[in-house]
């Protein structure tokens, strides 16, 4: 599936990019300023690990990067590294030595998308303030404040973050991501096993890419006693992921009849970025940034009206720890963002300020 369109939603602290093929959303990129694959950054060696031929390098992120095959380095050395795999919860980025002639560079999210998907012919952004920057990267970029909704990207993102997805055939898929593996269960909704499995496997392949799921994956298919039919399901899954740009290897099936596979990791999944661990609830940063988006949208819809953003305490702390996000939000509002800490809510609320 070739990406031919990018729909971009920009707000302080976050850029969301939906990648489409023929009008269908097939992948998301969510950028919150962390280093990403292809970025080249300067780091300082914190620890050498000779037994592993590796080092830990401080790169300005919460966790140090793991640098494979360091050459001529020692603790305290400064070095340029190229990010190979972005950081995920509890695990720092993976890096390699940057080319000798390289200079530090952090790629803009849309520029990164265009490098990865050179067939993109349409770029639409929902923020007029970001349009000039978009056009410096993609001259034909256009602006539509509602493009994320109009394109179906907003609904697709909700679907990609849901623990359970019901397909048009009524077959349902349940996703459980853990640090060790992702388990996907097929609920046949009373259908014959062959029909339910046939409907589920292509949808699972789509969701692996849509959700950015990688690493070890187990698919609990509707059981069949016939091992030949199980092998046909394994082959069907191999066919379903054949066009995935992230290399996927379907190893076979386990003794208990689960399809076992791996998908190459380049960074955190959508759930790892946006949700609480092992939960379908937004994490505090996602909640805070969603609230900022809502305040900006309400202000645009009702000029001259001032709004406050009410959030649970942890989400307020996330925003206050990001002065650049607060400053950019204030610039767009024309006044400082008013935050209200509320312990009686678990989502955000946009509240009109008294005149």
């Amino acid at each position: 599936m070739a990406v031919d369109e990018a729909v971009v939603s920009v707000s302080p602290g976050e850029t969301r990019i939906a990648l489409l093929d023929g009008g269908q959303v097939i992948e998301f990129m969510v950028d919150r300023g962390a280093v990403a694959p292809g970025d080249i950054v300067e780091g300082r060696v914190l620890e050498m690990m000779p037994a592993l031929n590796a080092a830990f390098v401080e790169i300005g992120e919460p966790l140090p990067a793991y640098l494979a095959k360091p050459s001529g380095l020692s603790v305290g050395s400064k070095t340029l590294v190229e990010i190979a795999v972005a950081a995920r919860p509890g695990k720092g980025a993976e890096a390699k030595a940057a080319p000798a002639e390289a200079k530090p560079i952090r790629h803009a999210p849309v520029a990164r998308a265009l490098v990865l998907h050179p067939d993109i012919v349409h770029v639409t952004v929902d923020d007029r303030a970001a349009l000039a920057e978009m056009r410096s990267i993609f001259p034909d970029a256009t602006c539509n404040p509602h493009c994320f909704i109009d394109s179906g990207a907003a609904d697709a993102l909700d679907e990609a973050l849901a623990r359970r997805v019901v397909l048009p055939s009524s077959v349902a898929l349940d996703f459980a991501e853990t640090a060790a593996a992702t388990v996907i269960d097929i609920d046949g909704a009373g259908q014959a096993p062959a029909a339910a499995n046939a409907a589920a496997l292509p949808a699972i392949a789509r969701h692996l890419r849509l959700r950015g799921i990688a690493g070890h994956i187990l698919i609990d298919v509707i059981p069949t006693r016939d091992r030949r039919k199980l092998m046909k399901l394994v082959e069907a899954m191999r066919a379903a992921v054949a066009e995935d740009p992230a290399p996927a290897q379907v190893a076979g099936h386990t003794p208990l009849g689960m399809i076992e596979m791996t998908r190459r990791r380049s960074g955190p999944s959508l759930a790892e970025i946006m949700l609480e661990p092992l939960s379908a609830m937004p994490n505090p940063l996602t909640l805070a940034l969603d609230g900022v988006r809502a305040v900006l949208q309400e202000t645009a819809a009702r000029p001259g009206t001032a709004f406050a953003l009410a959030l649970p305490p942890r989400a307020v702390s996330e925003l206050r720890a990001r002065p650049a996000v607060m400053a950019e939000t204030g610039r767009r509002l024309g006044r400082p963002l008013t935050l209200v800490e509320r312990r009686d809510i678990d989502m955000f609320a946009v509240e009109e300020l008294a005149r």
Side-chain angles (χ1 to χ4, degrees):
M1 301 176 75
V3 174
D4 56 20
E5 182 179 0
V7 177
V8 187
S9 181
V10 178
S11 72
E14 182 181 72
T15 298
R16 298 176 180 178
I17 303 175
L19 302 174
L20 289 78
D21 171 41
Q24 181 184 35
V25 179
I26 59 175
E27 187 176 337
F28 284 103
M29 299 172 68
V30 177
D31 186 286
R32 292 179 173 175
V35 294
D39 288 348
I40 296 176
V41 297
E42 184 176 64
R44 181 176 60 86
V45 176
L46 296 178
E47 181 183 355
M48 299 295 298
M49 297 176 288
L52 299 176
N53 193 17
F56 281 119
V57 180
E58 194 281 318
I59 58 171
E61 298 276 297
L63 294 174
Y66 180 88
L67 173 62
K69 300 179 181 180
S71 178
L73 299 178
S74 59
V75 173
S77 296
K78 290 186 177 181
T79 182
L80 285 181
V81 298
E82 181 177 346
I83 304 302
V85 179
R88 45 194 294 250
K91 190 171 182 179
E94 297 177 21
K96 59 184 180 181
E101 69 280 3
K103 295 182 179 179
I105 182 170
R106 297 286 296 275
H107 297 282
V110 173
R112 189 179 302 119
L114 291 170
V115 169
L116 293 172
H117 305 285
D119 293 330
I120 290 176
V121 294
H122 299 289
V123 174
T124 310
V125 62
D126 67 355
D127 181 62
R128 294 194 181 280
L131 183 59
E133 181 183 353
M134 290 296 142
R135 285 181 171 167
S136 71
I137 300 169
F138 190 88
D140 294 330
T142 59
C143 181
N144 172 4
H146 308 293
C147 62
F148 226 68
I149 295 173
D150 294 346
S151 66
D155 288 340
L157 183 59
D158 288 342
E159 181 185 41
L161 292 172
R163 293 286 297 273
R164 183 176 177 88
V165 175
V166 180
L167 306 180
S169 62
S170 296
V171 172
L173 306 176
D174 291 293
F175 294 82
E177 290 188 52
T178 72
T182 296
V183 179
I184 305 168
D185 179 68
I186 301 174
D187 179 350
Q191 297 189 31
N197 289 328
L201 295 185
I204 290 173
R206 173 176 175 262
H207 271 269
L208 292 179
R209 183 174 181 184
L210 195 67
R211 295 166 181 253
I213 293 173
H216 190 193
I217 301 162
L218 293 168
I219 302 170
D220 192 6
V221 296
I222 307 295
T224 174
R225 295 178 181 272
D226 189 332
R227 291 290 168 176
R228 291 173 297 180
K229 291 182 179 179
L230 186 54
M231 283 306 303
K232 286 183 178 180
L233 292 177
V234 170
E235 292 302 321
M237 193 63 207
R238 285 177 179 148
V241 298
E243 295 185 8
D244 191 331
Q249 179 181 1
V250 181
H253 61 79
T254 69
L256 295 179
M258 300 178 79
I259 295 177
E260 186 172 16
M261 63 174 292
T262 62
R263 186 171 184 267
R264 189 175 70 185
R265 189 183 305 280
S266 61
S269 69
L270 279 182
E272 288 176 318
I273 295 172
M274 304 187 75
L275 301 181
E276 290 278 35
L278 305 178
S279 168
M281 290 295 295
N283 61 35
L285 180 55
T286 297
L287 195 60
L289 295 178
D290 281 348
V292 167
R293 286 173 184 272
V295 168
L296 292 173
Q297 290 167 357
E298 285 288 344
T299 301
R302 297 170 62 188
T305 304
F307 297 95
L309 176 58
L311 290 165
R314 287 178 61 198
V316 170
S317 297
E318 290 284 0
L319 270 187
R320 287 180 173 157
R322 290 166 170 79
V325 174
M326 292 291 290
E328 174 64 14
T329 305
R331 186 188 69 77
R332 296 193 187 194
L333 292 174
R335 59 172 179 79
L337 173 63
T338 301
L339 290 178
V340 178
E341 187 173 302
R342 293 265 298 275
R343 298 182 180 276
D344 60 329
I345 60 175
D346 55 12
M347 300 298 284
F348 68 81
V350 178
E351 301 176 346
E352 184 174 342
L353 290 172
R355 292 177 182 262

